[in-house]
Amino acid sequence: MTARGVSWEAGADLIVVGSGVAGLTAALDAAAAGLRVVVVTKDGIGEGSTRWAQGGVAVVLGDVAGDSLGAHVADTLAAGGGLNDADAVDVIVRGGPGAVRRLRERGALFDARGARLDRTREGGHSAFRVVHAGGDATGAEVERALVAATREAGVTVLDGHVADDALRDVTGRVVGLSVLAGDGGAETGVLRAPAVLLATGGYGQLYSSTTNPATSTGDGVAIALRAGATAADLEFVQFHPTVLWTGPAVGRRPLVTEAVRGEGAVLRDRAGHAFMAGVHPLADLAPRDVVAAAITRHTAETGSECAWLDATGLAGFATRFPTVFASCREAGIDPRTEPIPVNPAAHYACGGVVTDTWGRTGVPGLYAAGEVARTGLHGANRLASNSLLEGLVVGERVVRAVCEDRAAAGPALLTAPVEPAPALPVADRATLQRALSRHAAIGRDATGLAAASDAVEAATVVGVPVGRAGVEDAALTLLAQAVLAAAGTRRESRGCHVRTDFPDRDDVHQASSLRVRLDAAGRPVVVADALVGAA
Ligand code: SIN
């Protein structure tokens, strides 16, 4: 059922914010467990980041010679640059096979030869272990199956509803959500439930060029921080090395999946030199932080606007990679006969709201799963195709946590007062995107980070955010401040965080995650006791 308007006041047991892989998996499991669940989503159901994922789901199903769960764990830890939470890696990797089986039971169709699923390989993986669908349309197929199952299960979906803030009772427990709806978010209202799951995706829109859709504005991290939760690893914004380059542009850009390199394509410079050889033992299939940094360095050194991905040697490109092929053809490029111009673009938030592997944030009643959360799986750099995996596994586990917490907590005070919307710092989006793209992308230094902070500060006014755009811009402003604070504090280079003024990794003093919370004035601050252990 899809409902419009904010008059939806019937009690729910669980509000899920977001309709990607983690949100819909949780909503389906919650409905199956007999919970009254409502999904709140800014656009239509299924229009978040999940549908744009190309590569696939990294999972060890036991039928690839030489691969093992232990190898998947080891690759995840190696990519993560020493900041993963080893327990989280273990739990999520080991949860993968069961979660993928249940996703297939819900109707997702993966590419297969007979009874055996096809596999591809991406950067940082020591084996062909990534299952995929529709060639390079894995996210679209996962989303299709979950949306169909959600409709089939009769889950209530409030589309066109923007989550604004968490409602809390006098004890600080989250007991609902204030929302905006109607044209541009002009109407306000509240939804009440003793459990709220944030599954809102990342904050790629903080950068001018991103693979993320327009919905990825950091809303969930902002709501969680304002509710008293902790975030961590926010400085680790992963740039995808190969995004189709068609000149400077703002907004979502077409991805060229890493699986293209997994199946043999090679990065070249203008002179045709394959420059990844010698940079890393895995060359073009190095972890993506290494490849993205190498492209950035190489284009700066050679004065090129982009690098070129040579896939001309791959047989059957158009059928194996139909999404990439269509994007290239639209840009007038034929990848069967000419190299694809590519550049890195903001792709994935490795950090987010600190949770345990059950999605608990530490604020009673508030949960987070998927890209919005920081479970410790990714560390300083996410291994390719571990994100759909995490969404599936934690999306299931969080419902078990909600059920357990509900049994233990007793009745929540659902009568929390609805305060007037607070005044928040809001900067205009174009200024944020310019500042972060210039100074907090790949290759940061103290001078640039300070200049970005000054630019954000100068553009910020304090006021009550108006409508959807206001809520999103307030979230992006908070994320900009938080990312800049964390990036300035981490004076080393590690994973996706590359400091040109501190090029080395410092395992003696900085081998821990940086936590961020809001101070009494509502500003994000890096917490002095930086080590993240548990949520
Ligand atoms: C890709 O297909 O290269 C992206 C997959 C991912 O980000 O995990």
Side-chain angles (χ1 to χ4, degrees), residues 273-357:
H273 170 59
F275 60 85
M276 283 307 297
V279 171
H280 189 279
L282 290 171
D284 289 89
L285 278 180
R288 63 176 56 153
D289 58 328
V290 175
V291 182
I295 293 175
T296 303
R297 217 170 35 243
H298 203 76
T299 49
E301 280 164 13
T302 57
S304 288
E305 282 188 315
C306 63
W308 284 267
L309 183 63
D310 182 358
T312 55
L314 272 59
F317 189 96
T319 40
R320 173 64 185 85
F321 299 109
T323 313
V324 176
F325 185 69
S327 304
C328 288
R329 294 306 289 144
E330 204 172 303
I333 296 149
D334 187 343
R336 295 169 300 189
T337 57
E338 60 188 318
I340 307 167
V342 290
N343 246 346
H347 181 58
Y348 195 86
C350 298
V353 184
V354 176
T355 68
D356 61 14
T357 57

Side-chain angles (χ1 to χ4, degrees), residues 182-387:
D183 195 14
E187 301 164 38
T188 58
V190 296
L191 304 169
R192 297 183 192 276
V196 173
L197 168 62
L198 301 170
T200 50
Y203 44 90
Q205 291 292 330
L206 208 44
Y207 293 83
S208 306
S209 174
T210 176
T211 61
N212 292 187
T215 51
S216 298
T217 50
D219 310 2
V221 178
I223 289 171
L225 283 171
R226 290 198 296 263
T230 301
D233 293 338
L234 297 178
E235 67 275 34
F236 298 110
V237 177
Q238 183 175 74
F239 279 66
H240 196 288
T242 57
V243 172
L244 183 62
W245 170 253
T246 53
V250 175
R252 194 186 70 76
R253 312 300 305 143
L255 184 63
V256 179
T257 174
E258 218 161 77
V260 175
R261 272 175 288 133
E263 300 194 13
V266 172
L267 282 161
R268 299 189 189 280
D269 62 17
R270 189 192 298 280
H273 170 59
F275 60 85
M276 283 307 297
V279 171
H280 189 279
L282 290 171
D284 289 89
L285 278 180
R288 63 176 56 153
D289 58 328
V290 175
V291 182
I295 293 175
T296 303
R297 217 170 35 243
H298 203 76
T299 49
E301 280 164 13
T302 57
S304 288
E305 282 188 315
C306 63
W308 284 267
L309 183 63
D310 182 358
T312 55
L314 272 59
F317 189 96
T319 40
R320 173 64 185 85
F321 299 109
T323 313
V324 176
F325 185 69
S327 304
C328 288
R329 294 306 289 144
E330 204 172 303
I333 296 149
D334 187 343
R336 295 169 300 189
T337 57
E338 60 188 318
I340 307 167
V342 290
N343 246 346
H347 181 58
Y348 195 86
C350 298
V353 184
V354 176
T355 68
D356 61 14
T357 57
W358 299 98
R360 292 186 178 100
T361 64
V363 175
L366 187 66
Y367 304 80
E371 187 175 358
V372 68
R374 181 268 182 207
T375 58
L377 173 67
H378 307 309
N381 175 51
R382 178 182 61 102
L383 184 68
S385 289
N386 265 357
S387 42

Side-chain angles (χ1 to χ4, degrees), residues 83 235-236 443-447 449-450 483-514 526 530:
L83 287 200
E235 67 275 34
F236 298 110
R444 307 158 169 187
D445 64 24
T447 310
L449 292 169
V483 168
L484 291 170
T489 304
R490 185 171 291 284
R491 295 178 178 197
E492 62 158 356
S493 292
R494 182 187 294 271
C496 312
H497 174 70
V498 179
R499 288 277 305 242
T500 51
D501 49 353
F502 294 100
D504 298 324
R505 180 165 142 174
D506 171 11
D507 277 329
V508 177
H509 302 106
Q510 301 188 61
S512 56
S513 288
L514 294 175
V526 175

